[in-house]
Amino acid sequence: MAAGQSLSADYLAYIEQYRETAVRQQQEYGIPASITLAQGLLESGAGQSRLATEGNNHFGIKCHNTWKGDGIYMDDDEKGECFRKYGNAAESFEDHARFLKRKRYEPLFSLDVTDYKGWANGLKKCGYATDPRYASKLISIIELYSLDEYDTGQPIIASRKHLEGDESLEHSIDMEIINEFKLTHKIRRKWGLHYVTAYDGDTPDDIADEFGIKERKLRSYNDLPRRGDQQFKEGDMIYLQEKNEEAPEGHSTYTVRRGDTLRSIAMRYGIRLESLLRMNRMKKDDVLPAGATIRLRK
């Protein structure tokens, strides 16, 4: 696991509980265990979603015309849609495997069982989900948790013991930014702060919803306007908590480069914009001439 990424205890517990089921499904149906686990994690929020807790539905499968069993109703692409309700999780896993054996998903079974990227992209292409980033979400989960090792018959032990003594499970992170989909964007750490990097087209609402943060707080953390359309560019840094009052020791000043703004400098060094303005007795709209010196510490 790369430095700065944190593993979710809920995700680990889910993997531990259902890894053997996923491997059995691979052996019987030819569906990669990593794909089954990643879809279960993503669709059910590691077993915490309403569909999973009330309907034992771990894969978000809707009723459709052929379903003869019970249903659970909730808003999705449309209001009040019917989702399949199962007697237990095992029935959901079994139905998921049979669901993927339909003709629509037939092209997937020409792929190697170890080609999780091909399967992830194929699921999106075949119409399993409407989320344009569905494939990248599955791949991110698989790679962070090494789920592909279950496809080869040499699985790692994915349990809480796997993290004993591992400081990468950050207990210091504010619990309001933890939710079941946090792995869509990998959490990193810089200047003592947790942040993620954006995908092209992400919005403040996307990131706030993913991490369980109120959008107004996320906008405040990143010195964004309180309202208005805002789209991030690929690689933009987005802080998940309040930035610092000043830069760390060793970063006392900054020499302005062409194109810099006070906000971009504040973001680069993890400093609250209002603190940076105060230290330099400036206003946020002030133009910065190249070569000017900006104070980063009090």
Side-chain angles (χ1 to χ4, degrees):
M1 181 177 64
Q5 296 174 18
S6 60
L7 299 183
S8 162
D10 288 340
Y11 271 56
L12 290 168
Y14 187 94
I15 294 165
E16 180 71 11
Q17 183 173 1
Y18 295 112
R19 59 193 176 98
E20 292 183 4
T21 300
V23 170
R24 285 197 299 270
Q25 299 289 49
Q26 176 176 311
Q27 293 169 345
E28 183 172 355
Y29 293 99
I31 301 164
S34 62
I35 288 292
T36 297
L37 286 169
Q39 282 196 283
L41 286 162
L42 183 59
E43 296 285 352
S44 78
Q48 303 301 310
S49 71
R50 181 186 166 217
L51 280 180
T53 57
E54 297 182 18
N56 288 305
N57 187 330
H58 286 243
F59 299 94
I61 299 177
K62 297 178 182 179
C63 293
H64 304 294
N65 295 331
T66 58
W67 179 246
K68 305 300 181 183
D70 293 334
I72 182 170
Y73 296 85
M74 59 182 289
D75 296 345
D76 190 50
D77 295 327
E78 299 178 8
K79 290 185 66 67
E81 292 194 87
C82 179
F83 290 81
R84 300 182 184 189
K85 186 175 184 179
Y86 306 98
N88 53 54
E91 291 180 7
S92 179
F93 275 77
E94 179 71 15
D95 192 48
H96 169 257
R98 293 183 178 181
F99 187 79
L100 292 186
K101 294 298 287 186
R102 297 188 306 159
K103 187 172 182 179
R104 169 189 272 193
Y105 301 102
E106 188 175 334
L108 297 176
F109 292 87
S110 64
L111 301 172
D112 193 285
V113 76
T114 61
D115 184 10
Y116 65 87
K117 291 184 179 179
W119 273 81
N121 285 296
L123 283 167
K124 177 63 183 74
K125 185 176 181 180
C126 291
Y128 191 96
T130 56
D131 184 349
R133 298 196 303 274
Y134 190 73
S136 65
K137 290 179 180 181
L138 293 179
I139 292 169
S140 293
I141 293 172
I142 290 169
E143 293 181 345
L144 185 56
Y145 286 90
S146 300
L147 298 183
D148 55 307
E149 296 196 19
Y150 291 103
D151 301 338
T152 64
Q154 297 179 336
I156 58 173
I157 300 301
S159 67
R160 286 180 175 83
K161 293 181 179 179
H162 186 62
L163 287 185
E164 288 181 357
D166 189 342
E167 295 180 357
S168 59
L169 182 58
E170 296 286 354
H171 295 289
S172 62
I173 189 168
D174 190 336
M175 287 306 295
E176 73 175 347
I177 72 171
I178 299 296
N179 84 341
E180 62 266 25
F181 298 129
K182 73 177 187 176
L183 296 174
T184 302
H185 295 79
K186 296 177 183 179
I187 297 177
R188 296 174 168 84
R189 191 174 175 89
K190 188 174 184 179
W191 313 121
L193 303 168
H194 292 90
Y195 74 95
V196 296
T197 53
Y199 298 116
D200 193 44
D202 279 339
T203 67
D205 181 63
D206 293 334
I207 304 299
D209 183 62
E210 180 181 334
F211 290 93
I213 308 173
K214 292 182 179 179
E215 184 181 353
R216 61 178 178 79
K217 284 191 174 183
L218 186 81
R219 286 177 175 270
S220 174
Y221 297 160
N222 293 277
D223 305 309
L224 295 170
R226 292 186 178 182
R227 295 182 179 84
D229 294 335
Q230 173 79 40
Q231 285 194 341
F232 298 114
K233 296 179 182 178
E234 186 80 23
D236 280 351
M237 177 183 283
I238 306 164
Y239 289 101
L240 302 179
Q241 62 190 105
E242 191 73 76
K243 299 198 297 300
N244 300 317
E245 287 292 320
E246 59 183 2
E249 291 185 13
H251 299 277
S252 299
T253 61
Y254 174 77
T255 302
V256 176
R257 302 173 185 173
R258 187 185 301 273
D260 282 337
T261 64
L262 285 162
R263 179 183 178 273
S264 70
I265 296 170
M267 292 293 289
R268 181 178 300 172
Y269 288 95
I271 307 170
R272 295 175 64 186
L273 178 57
E274 62 185 50
S275 178
L276 188 67
L277 295 174
R278 208 165 39 241
M279 282 189 284
N280 292 276
R281 299 181 180 179
M282 301 181 74
K283 298 179 181 179
K284 64 180 180 180
D285 295 327
D286 284 351
V287 177
L288 297 178
T293 299
I294 298 295
R295 292 182 59 189
L296 303 178
R297 289 180 60 82
K298 296 176 183 177

